[in-house]
């Protein structure tokens, strides 16, 4: 009989971090332990208003000495109060799910995983595994009892499911697809049999190393993913050693470490992290919607995200516990309140959890298979009967829908049968079968990381590299040792395999050579050619000595600390070991130093530019690897609204050169990375890689582009006078793109335009001496946009000097400070031309306030001109250019080239063209 109970919820408050200490943040969270349950109280730092939340547990891990904020909770406290009940429920045969929620850095991973050393700091997951094997060892001498324990680890990154216990070369390019089972959706990933806690530790270590390799290959922030650790537990007890039947307890323990739930602006996320944040928020929103539906007794849509799909089985049949991690700091108030509200909502969910205990698992599986087959067959027969029995459905949309549903049912039946077959096979496996399976997995792991040592870092005695990563758990998990003599670092090379293999962005074959001269105790690195290699933040091109604690960058993303055991005194000494942020700061400083010295660039802008340089380099590497005719370079543009400088990206694509805002480039970069992953997969498998169609490619841009903006001043309207303007259209990169022809005409009280020259209409003239005279009145006027005239040099002659546009349209706002005003937009024009005709007019009416009067006196209307880039080869001007080039080629044989002798050094002779008015042109007019 299934037992129904509410989701257990705990909240944990951590120490201040360095960012909060630097910001002089104050503590705004306190906790109260009650006879039943607990309270978490958070104070609004601006209003001092308290909000109180009630939970099952409130763990205060902020201070051991501060009074009045709740009893101090250690890792032991958390495990005893939260972890053990979860574990023992699983040992009784119930599926359980424990997940940690909260903003990045709030302490989720510390609660779930903790630290490997000292043992007192281990988290819930390793402690649970240790406890399972401790209980197993109590019965190890009983011949009637047998334990089967296994582990799976997957991550959900940008809605792709990756197997962290499999070699990356085996990963499907678009992630694993969930499959239907009787217990919900699962993924068919590596399941590692574990015979002792050391096997569990090895699985943890491999998963962390896999995430570290991924962050190197793509970018250091790609560890921002949901991670699901699934421990499979089975205990079989026979009445005697020879008995064929056994009481079998089965359960799955899902331990979910969710990615950060913070808003992007508060976390300072940008670039690819922003896109990752969008994917994270998508899945967390889906999780929230699922929880809300469950709490209201409604049927949730688990298909909204991969996360909820994989958690469906746990959230509908099992024991669920959530630990919400919150920051104590005043600067994180909004995020902490959001986390507490989410935790409060999940508390209302009630879930039934049944015990999975059988006396004969083989017979049970066969019985379930037959019941499932009959049930599915009945549903299929019903659908077939509907399709055949109703002639009105023939050939219609309803018949197609029913047949599609029928196909889905058949596919579901196939997946369920496969799942039962797999379960039957697993139940019949012997210990010897599982040991062989584990050995095969260990063999795969041995060479998975391109020469990385399988030893723990502290056990390595040779000079070596340790990876750096923004995630402290992933930092220094990969160790690459050097042998005496030459050690080649580079991409995979079948003819000449490197000692250390890296296949990430910016790494080439024979990228660099590291030489260890054991006799004099020195280690040197020499990059091959101009390959991207930096030591302590500065690029190197020749032989450079490596000393203990030096930071080494290879390619676009590979960051390391060089460690030389026994020679520590030769290197720099630090109070704390240099980490990833230290290495990034060095690179930023080197990139920004010249710019700051030359033009006084602000530090913040310098950091943005440094990030842009790295991301742009990544995009260029991808374009080069994929043979795409595309080039990127960072560009500083001025925000015309705020006057601030901002980083954008100048992009030369197949259609022309344009400027992408940073956010757009960041989104496109994520898609480029996905393509690069697919290309890398094909390279590893010796398969042909095909780029997507241009309309689906991030290297093409078929979206409407902001061609430029033009300002038309409102002084004339402030005097209720008609005004015409030929305003210059300035591109985002501050170059003139042409002019826009507009007019603004006031309307009198009768709804008519001027002029009001004759005596009969003179009294209706709305003219005023100053805008202040209009305060309190409602005025009307007409805005007209006649046409646009583009600069020919920018729009026609050279792809390098600008792109060509079709379907041009304009939008504007009268007063950007009015939150209720929407954009007024014109209809798009037709094909590309230098003088698109708009012929648009719109009537406006507004009551004049004192603020709007000031806007009429000193403000302007900002017109934005948009258009779509013309596809290469589809514009009539393209054929015109082709004809011009053909004409030039015909002229060359009959034109005698001038004698270049006597010209100054560096000068050359070029052709010029004369139009019908006698004017000279560098290009054909």
């Amino acid at each position: 009989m299934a037992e129904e109970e509410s989701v257990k919820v705990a909240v944990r408050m951590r120490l201040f971090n360095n960012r909060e200490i630097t910001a002089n943040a104050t503590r705004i969270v306190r906790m109260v332990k009650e006879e039943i349950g607990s309270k978490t109280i958070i104070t609004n730092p601006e209003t001092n208003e308290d909000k109180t939340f009630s939970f099952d547990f409130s763990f205060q891990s902020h201070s051991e000495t501060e009074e009045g904020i709740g009893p101090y909770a250690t890792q032991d406290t958390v495990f005893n109060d939260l972890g053990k009940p979860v574990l023992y429920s699983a040992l009784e045969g119930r599926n359980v799910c424990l997940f940690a929620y909260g903003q990045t850095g709030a302490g989720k991973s510390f609660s779930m995983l903790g630290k490997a050393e000292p043992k007192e700091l281990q988290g819930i997951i390793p402690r649970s595994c240790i406890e399972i094997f401790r209980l197993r060892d109590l019965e190890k001498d009983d011949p009637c009892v047998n334990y089967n324990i296994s582990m799976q680890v997957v991550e959900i990154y940008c809605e792709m499911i990756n197997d962290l216990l499999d070699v990356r070369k085996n990963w499907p390019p678009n992630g694993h697809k969930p499959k239907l089972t009787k217990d919900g959706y699962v993924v068919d990933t590596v399941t590692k049999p574990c015979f002792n806690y050391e096997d569990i530790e090895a699985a943890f270590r491999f998963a962390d190393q896999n995430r570290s390799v991924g962050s190197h290959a793509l970018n250091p922030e790609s560890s921002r993913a949901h991670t699901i650790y699934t421990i499979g537990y089975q205990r079989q007890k026979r009445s005697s050693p020879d008995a064929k039947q056994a009481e079998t307890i089965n359960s799955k323990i899902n331990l979910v470490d969710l990615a950060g739930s913070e808003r992007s602006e508060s976390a300072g996320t940008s670039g690819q992290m922003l896109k990752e944040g969008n994917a994270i928020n998508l899945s967390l929103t889906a999780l929230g919607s699922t929880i809300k539906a469950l709490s209201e007794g409604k049927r949730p849509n688990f298909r909204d995200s991969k996360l909820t799909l994989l958690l469906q089985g746990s959230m509908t049949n099992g024991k669920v516990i959530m630990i919400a991690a919150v920051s104590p700091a005043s600067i994180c108030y909004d995020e902490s309140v959001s986390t507490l509200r989410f935790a409060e909502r999940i508390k209302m969910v009630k879930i039934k959890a049944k015990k999975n205990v059988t006396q004969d698992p083989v017979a049970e599986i066969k019985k379930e298979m037959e019941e499932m087959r009959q049930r599915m067959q009945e549903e299929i027969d019903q659908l077939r009967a509907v399709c055949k029995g109703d002639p009105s459905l023939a050939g219609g949309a309803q018949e197609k829908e029913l047949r599609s549903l029928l196909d889905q049912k058949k596919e579901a039946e196939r997946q369920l049968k496969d799942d039962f077959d797999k379960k039957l096979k697993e139940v019949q496996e012997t210990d010897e079968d599982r040991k062989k399976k584990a050995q095969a997995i260990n063999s795969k792991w041995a060479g998975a990381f391109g020469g990385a040592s399988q030893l723990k870092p502290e056990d390595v005695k040779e000079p070596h590299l340790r990876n750096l990563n923004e995630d402290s758990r992933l930092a220094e998990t990969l160790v690459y040792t050097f042998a005496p003599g030459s050690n080649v670092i580079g991409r995979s090379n079948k003819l000449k395999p490197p000692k250390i293999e890296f296949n990430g962005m910016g790494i080439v074959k024979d990228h660099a050579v590291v030489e260890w001269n054991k006799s004099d105790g020195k280690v040197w690195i020499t990059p091959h050619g101009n390959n991207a290699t930096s030591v302590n933040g500065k690029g190197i091109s020749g032989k450079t000595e490596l000393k203990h604690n030096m930071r080494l960058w290879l390619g676009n993303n590979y960051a390391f600390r060089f460690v030389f055991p026994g020679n520590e005194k030769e290197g720099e000494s630090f109070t704390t070991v240099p980490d990833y942020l230290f290495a990034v700061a060095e690179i930023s400083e080197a990139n920004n130093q010249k710019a700051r010295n030359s033009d006084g660039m602000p530090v913040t802008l310098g950091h943005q530019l440094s990030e842009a340089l790295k991301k742009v380099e990544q995009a260029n590497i991808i374009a080069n690897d994929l043979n795409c005719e595309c080039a990127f370079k960072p560009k500083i543009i001025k925000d015309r609204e705020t006057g601030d400088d901002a980083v954008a990206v100048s992009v030369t694509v197949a259609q022309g050169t344009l400027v992408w805002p940073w956010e757009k480039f960041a989104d496109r970069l994520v898609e480029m990375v996905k393509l690069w992953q697919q290309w890398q997969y094909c390279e590893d498998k010796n398969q042909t890689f095909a780029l997507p169609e241009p309309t689906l490619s991030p290297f093409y841009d078929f979206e409407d582009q902001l061609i430029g903006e033009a300002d038309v001043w409102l002084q004339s309207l402030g005097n209720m006078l008609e005004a015409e303007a030929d305003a210059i259209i300035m591109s985002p990169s501050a170059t003139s793109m042409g002019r826009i022809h507009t007019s603004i005409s006031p309307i009198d009280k009768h709804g008519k335009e001027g002029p009001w020259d004759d005596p009969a209409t003179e009294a209706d003239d709305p003219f005023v001496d100053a805008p202040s005279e209009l305060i309190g009145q409602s005025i009307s006027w007409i805005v007209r946009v006649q046409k646009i005239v583009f600069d020919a040099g920018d729009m026609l002659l050279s792809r390098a000097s600008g792109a060509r546009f079709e379907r041009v349209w304009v939008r504007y706002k009268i007063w950007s400070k009015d939150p209720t005003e929407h954009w007024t937009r014109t209809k798009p024009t037709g094909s590309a031309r230098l003088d698109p005709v708009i012929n648009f007019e719109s009537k406006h009416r507004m009551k004049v306030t004192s603020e709007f009067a000031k806007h009429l006196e000193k403000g302007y209307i900002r017109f934005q001109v948009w258009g779509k880039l013309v596809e290469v080869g589809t514009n009539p001007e393209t054929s015109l250019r082709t004809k011009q080039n053909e004409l030039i080629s015909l002229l060359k044989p009959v034109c005698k080239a001038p004698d270049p002798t006597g010209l100054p050094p560096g000068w050359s002779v070029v052709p010029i063209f004369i139009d019908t008015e006698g004017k000279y042109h560098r290009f054909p007019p």
Side-chain angles (χ1 to χ4, degrees), residues 133 136 146-150 191-196 199 426 428-444:
F133 285 107
R136 184 206 63 173
N146 185 48
Y147 282 80
N148 296 323
I149 296 159
S150 62
T191 302
K192 175 75 161 53
C194 298
F195 301 93
N196 48 53
D199 289 340
E426 287 174 352
Q428 295 171 334
E429 278 182 342
T430 64
D431 276 349
E432 193 60 35
D433 293 330
R434 281 185 281 275
K435 284 178 182 177
K436 286 180 180 178
K437 187 177 179 181
Q439 287 171 358
I441 293 170
N442 290 337
S443 298
K444 265 203 251 180

Side-chain angles (χ1 to χ4, degrees), residues 65-228:
T65 58
E66 189 175 353
E67 296 181 356
I69 63 172
Y72 186 73
T74 63
Q75 294 284 69
D76 283 332
T77 311
V78 175
F79 180 66
N80 289 331
D81 289 352
L82 201 63
K84 273 189 177 178
V86 172
L87 176 62
Y88 282 98
S89 185
L91 299 183
E92 291 174 356
R94 296 181 184 88
N95 292 332
V96 298
C97 180
L98 171 63
F99 61 93
Y101 180 87
Q103 71 182 104
T104 298
K108 300 184 304 298
S109 294
F110 182 70
S111 294
M112 296 294 280
L113 297 164
K115 294 185 177 180
E117 297 293 341
K119 300 295 184 186
E120 294 79 25
L121 295 182
Q122 287 182 331
I124 292 172
I125 295 176
R127 285 169 183 259
S128 298
C129 297
I130 290 170
E131 183 68 5
I132 288 173
F133 285 107
R134 186 188 72 79
L135 294 172
R136 184 206 63 173
D137 290 344
L138 295 177
E139 298 182 297
K140 66 180 179 181
D141 296 327
D142 189 340
C144 297
V145 178
N146 185 48
Y147 282 80
N148 296 323
I149 296 159
S150 62
M151 190 163 203
Q152 287 177 290
V153 187
V154 300
E155 70 170 9
I156 302 173
Y157 172 64
C158 285
E159 284 298 290
M160 288 195 302
I161 302 172
N162 297 322
D163 184 1
L164 292 179
L165 294 187
D166 197 7
V167 180
R168 297 181 73 88
K169 289 182 179 180
N170 296 335
W171 287 11
N174 295 314
H176 288 271
K177 304 301 179 189
K179 296 179 180 179
L180 181 64
T181 71
K182 75 179 185 69
D183 299 316
Y185 283 87
V186 299
V187 280
D188 190 12
T189 57
V190 170
T191 302
K192 175 75 161 53
C194 298
F195 301 93
N196 48 53
Y197 180 67
E198 287 68 30
D199 289 340
I200 293 279
E201 266 193 321
F204 278 140
R205 189 162 56 249
F206 186 88
D208 286 343
Q209 289 176 330
N210 226 343
R211 292 173 69 197
S212 299
V213 168
S215 69
H216 273 155
L218 302 178
N219 69 68
E221 295 84 21
S222 66
S223 61
R224 301 182 75 243
H226 307 300
T227 308
I228 302 177

